Amino acid sequence: MDRRTFLKSSAALAAVGTVAMPYVARAQASGPIKIGVMAPLTGVVAAGGREMVDGFNMYWEERGFQSGGRKVEIVVEDDASNPDTALQKARRLVEQANVDMLFGNLLANTGLAVANYVKGNGMPYFIPIIAADDLTQRNRIKNVIRVAGYTASQFPRPLADWCLKQGYRKVATISQDYTFGHEQCGGFCQTFTEGGGQVLGQFWHPLNTSDFSPYLGQLANLGADVIFCMETGADAARLMQQYASFGLKGQIPLVGAMNVTDQSVIRTMGDEVEGVVVAAHFAEGSDNPRTKEFVAAYGKKFSKLPSLYGFSMYSGAMWIDEALKPLNGATADRAAFLASVMKTDLVNSPLGTTVKLDAFGNPIYDVSIRKVVKNADGKYWNVPIATYPQVSQFWKSPLAFPFAGRLAGIEPRRPAS
Amino acid sequence: MASPAPNPAPDSTALPARDTGMSRLAMGAIALGALAFAVLPLILPTYQVSILTEVLIFAVLAMAVDILAGYTGRTPLCHGAIFGVSTYVVVYWTSQMGGSPYVGVGLGIAAATFVAAIFALLAIRTSGVYFLLLTLALGMIVWGVCLRWTSVTGGENGLRGAVRPAALADGFSFYYAVFAAVAVVAFVMWRFVRSPFGLTLRGIRDSESRMRSLGYNVPAHLFLAFTISGFFAGIAGALYAMFNDFVSPSTVGLSQSVEGLLMAITGGIGTLFGAFIGSFAIIGLENLVSLYTERWQSVLGAMFVLIMIFAPEGILGRIRSFVAQRRR
């Protein structure tokens, strides 16, 4: 009996061994550049995650999976929209798959978890989608760079300025009650009030709110000139639908964070999205030839208009590719690699304008104020109606750090160490 | 014979004959399992070592669940929350207050025990599906607080910091620290469920009314069992804080509670050490299957269905009954 148990156990042990072995030894050094991509392929934001991977792969397919003379190998992992899983996958990519850099993640909490992990080991980590302000501001980590990404509060500021120029003086806001919402709404309100505007009321609702009528009823009666909304995903779709159903569309102009009218939201929607104004770096309806080219290529490949996710990962890949060229693809010296990324200017991206990084690793963009209109194919898309050149994450001052204290509309936060 | 003694007979006589008969075989299996956990890190690369660390930590959570679900007959759905409270306190103490990680671990475990005691007061008056639902609701309260109390918990973004003491910075030494801690905890839990107190809990599981009529203070036993189980979940949570250096609401979420329970069930409810098998099976599969398909959750789901059909008593439970049959 004892011998049998022993045999069984050794068999089990051997099985564990074989399962673990294939990943032990992997080609190193002179092999391909390995890029670990994490995206939420399951969970609440899986649709966006899929587009992230598509956009990223699209770039490398165009370049034949080559950068700086080396082959590029992409290892995709699902972060399941969960920070604990993201952390585990990051560990796997770094410690087992031996990647040269990490890329991606969508939700801020997953990005922050991974950022905290790479803080300890110096692994370069690029975040074209993660917008949490802290990562390139208060708690900057040197090896975390927001290539082709943006900070949450970056674009609502020019939008607020634009609103003031339209003569709007009173705003009411409705936003999702979590950090991404706080930061975007905070950016808007701060610039708006500093410019002489007035915030009449702020509403915060939980994620996945199905019925906006309690909020819309109050919003309608505040007497606001304009309503600012910060929504993502299904909440954005529902808010715009119900805004129209309530008869508010056409009564009070609706402006918002760029996620509200991202293609991932409005792709499936009808007339209720028309005329919503947001600010963003990318507008798929721009007549810039580079943008047109990208939109056409993306449409040909995936038969849809590109969303923020596809665009950002595509451009992020391009940024790294450009940074690797002068190094002949050498990633072993991380400091040199990161320095090269920091001084690379993104010239030929789908934006069609030159983009630089500020000293904190966040890009400075020409920001478009964009409006949703119907295009020639009968689809709704975002078309630029005004441009704010050279907007950094610190609004007009590219290097100063003006928001050390409290942001308007946000409860003061304890600085995370 | 049935005098209302507050302390039941010593455990050797109270144990069913089959249990004592199996103990040598069981001891051998336990020794082998411990040996495997001790030796595997020496041959595995660092990432697998981190997975093993996680396996050990979650095994403690699953054992804590098993104390209630398997030995007391009350299936809880709030242990993820109790676990997470400890994680939150440890991360908060070290990253926001700048305190020592060792004190943090103590505070975390104390906080988890305290939360468990409060939950126990509310939950022990119920049983069956009501207990399940009440503990689920209590767990959701913790989750809600962690999600909404942004100024303290960091909301959705969670808290980050460097919790792990410098001495345990590399994964290898941390693994052995966890291994030692888990070995001690597992031994204590094993003694606990075999103690007169643990046997009383089994009595309550089998027939609450009989234990009551025998003169046992059933609510007090349930309260203590719940609190002690929470204490062990707190230990797991504190270890997890050091493992991840990070905590967010998903750590206290319902899925965490469910995962703990699933591990206990997969290993075998009422087997205690089955938790190691359950934890190993689930975490191992999660990592293995997700290498090959992004539909790994479906694969896990199918596995649970199969286990429930073919081995409802769990993997270790199945092995036990198999061995028992062979011996007959």
Side-chain angles (χ1 to χ4, degrees), chain A residues 47-49 85 90 114 124 138 142 157 197 201 211 241 290 323 342 352 403:
Chain A
T85 312
V114 175
R138 303 168 190 86
K142 263 200 134 87
R157 294 180 190 281
D211 181 12
Q241 270 158 1
R290 248 322 266 152
M342 287 296 280
F403 317 127

Side-chain angles (χ1 to χ4, degrees), chain A residues 128-389:
Chain A
I129 314 281
I130 307 294
D133 281 3
D134 278 353
L135 280 178
T136 50
Q137 292 182 8
R138 303 168 190 86
N139 300 316
R140 183 175 176 234
I141 300 165
K142 263 200 134 87
N143 47 324
V144 177
I145 301 177
R146 200 172 257 143
V147 289
Y150 63 102
T151 49
S153 59
Q154 191 172 0
F155 301 144
R157 294 180 190 281
L159 181 68
D161 190 74
W162 180 82
C163 284
L164 289 166
K165 292 210 171 97
Q166 306 309 301
Y168 306 146
R169 284 293 172 270
K170 288 180 257 176
V171 69
T173 70
I174 176 162
S175 315
Q176 289 173 328
D177 193 3
Y178 75 124
T179 316
F180 190 43
H182 300 164
E183 287 176 348
Q184 299 214 51
C185 187
F188 182 91
C189 289
Q190 190 178 39
T191 306
F192 195 74
T193 48
E194 278 172 7
Q198 193 187 351
V199 180
L200 297 179
Q202 292 194 297
F203 298 94
W204 305 98
H205 64 84
L207 270 75
N208 278 326
T209 294
S210 52
D211 181 12
F212 282 94
S213 51
Y215 305 105
L216 291 172
Q218 295 184 66
L219 280 170
N221 295 324
L222 282 172
D225 300 330
V226 63
I227 288 174
F228 173 86
C229 63
M230 185 281 140
E231 308 289 341
T232 56
D235 276 352
R238 284 189 287 250
L239 178 79
M240 285 189 287
Q241 270 158 1
Q242 293 176 26
Y243 197 80
S245 315
F246 257 68
L248 288 172
K249 182 175 178 310
Q251 297 287 319
I252 312 174
L254 184 65
V255 301
M258 64 177 290
N259 318 79
V260 176
T261 64
D262 184 54
Q263 273 301 330
S264 58
V265 173
I266 64 172
R267 202 175 269 152
T268 54
M269 294 182 68
D271 295 340
E272 60 272 19
V273 301
E274 192 196 1
V276 179
V277 174
V278 304
H281 49 338
F282 175 68
E284 65 275 15
S286 161
D287 55 8
N288 184 299
R290 248 322 266 152
T291 311
K292 279 181 158 170
E293 200 181 307
F294 172 70
V295 171
Y298 194 92
K300 201 169 159 209
K301 204 162 163 49
F302 304 110
S303 29
K304 57 187 172 194
L305 290 166
S307 68
L308 162 75
Y309 306 114
F311 155 78
S312 301
M313 289 297 278
Y314 180 93
S315 309
M318 178 181 279
W319 205 310
I320 296 310
D321 185 23
E322 294 298 325
L324 284 169
K325 276 179 188 165
L327 300 174
N328 294 323
T331 48
D333 183 351
R334 284 178 181 167
F337 174 44
L338 290 169
S340 175
V341 173
M342 287 296 280
K343 64 171 188 270
T344 297
D345 297 342
L346 190 65
V347 179
N348 209 19
S349 80
L351 293 173
T353 55
T354 303
V355 185
K356 293 173 192 298
L357 288 170
D358 67 13
F360 293 80
N362 188 76
I364 300 167
Y365 290 110
D366 292 347
V367 174
S368 303
I369 305 296
R370 57 183 215 193
K371 188 175 190 173
V372 181
V373 296
K374 208 179 232 177
N375 70 8
D377 302 335
K379 300 226 169 69
Y380 282 99
W381 66 354
N382 291 284
V383 172
I385 53 174
T387 306
Y388 281 79

Side-chain angles (χ1 to χ4, degrees), chain A residues 1-2 4-6 8-10 13 16-17 19-24 41-43 50 77-78 80 82-85 87-89 91-93 95-96 107-110 112-113 115-116 132 134 139 177-180 182-183 205-207 411-417, chain B residues 24-25 28-29 32 36 40 43-48 50-51 54 92 94-97 147-148 150-152 154-162 164 240 243-246 248-251 255-256 280 283 286-288 290-292 294-297 322-323 326-327:
Chain A
M1 209 36 92
D2 278 343
R4 179 170 290 144
T5 328
F6 173 74
K8 276 182 194 161
S9 317
S10 358
L13 261 181
V16 170
V19 161
M21 283 328 260
Y23 307 98
V24 175
L41 301 175
T42 54
R50 183 79 267 165
E77 279 284 359
D78 173 19
N82 176 324
D84 296 77
T85 312
L87 203 48
Q88 198 178 57
K89 294 302 164 82
R91 271 193 212 109
R92 191 187 92 71
L93 288 169
E95 295 170 22
Q96 182 178 305
L107 293 174
N109 53 4
T110 56
L112 288 162
N116 192 52
D134 278 353
N139 300 316
D177 193 3
Y178 75 124
T179 316
F180 190 43
H182 300 164
E183 287 176 348
H205 64 84
L207 270 75
E411 50 183 305
R413 284 187 307 164
R414 184 179 288 278
S417 72
Chain B
R24 245 180 89 198
L25 181 58
L32 257 176
L40 272 177
I43 55 171
L44 290 179
T46 58
Y47 172 68
Q48 270 80 4
S50 79
I51 296 291
E54 208 176 338
Y92 187 87
T94 48
S95 70
Q96 311 288 322
M97 314 283 286
L147 190 65
R148 288 312 174 89
T150 310
S151 55
V152 171
E156 189 101 357
N157 289 348
L159 295 172
R160 293 160 302 286
R164 213 184 285 180
Y240 192 62
F243 173 67
N244 255 1
D245 286 342
F246 166 79
S248 77
S250 72
T251 307
S255 60
Q256 191 86 335
F280 188 87
I283 294 177
E286 255 176 30
N287 281 282
L288 188 69
S290 69
L291 288 181
Y292 300 104
E294 59 195 59
R295 301 266 163 267
W296 53 276
Q297 280 153 327
F322 180 72
V323 171
R326 292 290 299 269
R327 294 180 141 247

Side-chain angles (χ1 to χ4, degrees), chain B residues 67-83:
Chain B
I67 286 183
L68 276 186
Y71 290 90
T72 318
R74 297 281 198 281
T75 307
L77 267 182
C78 62
H79 271 50
I82 296 171
F83 170 98

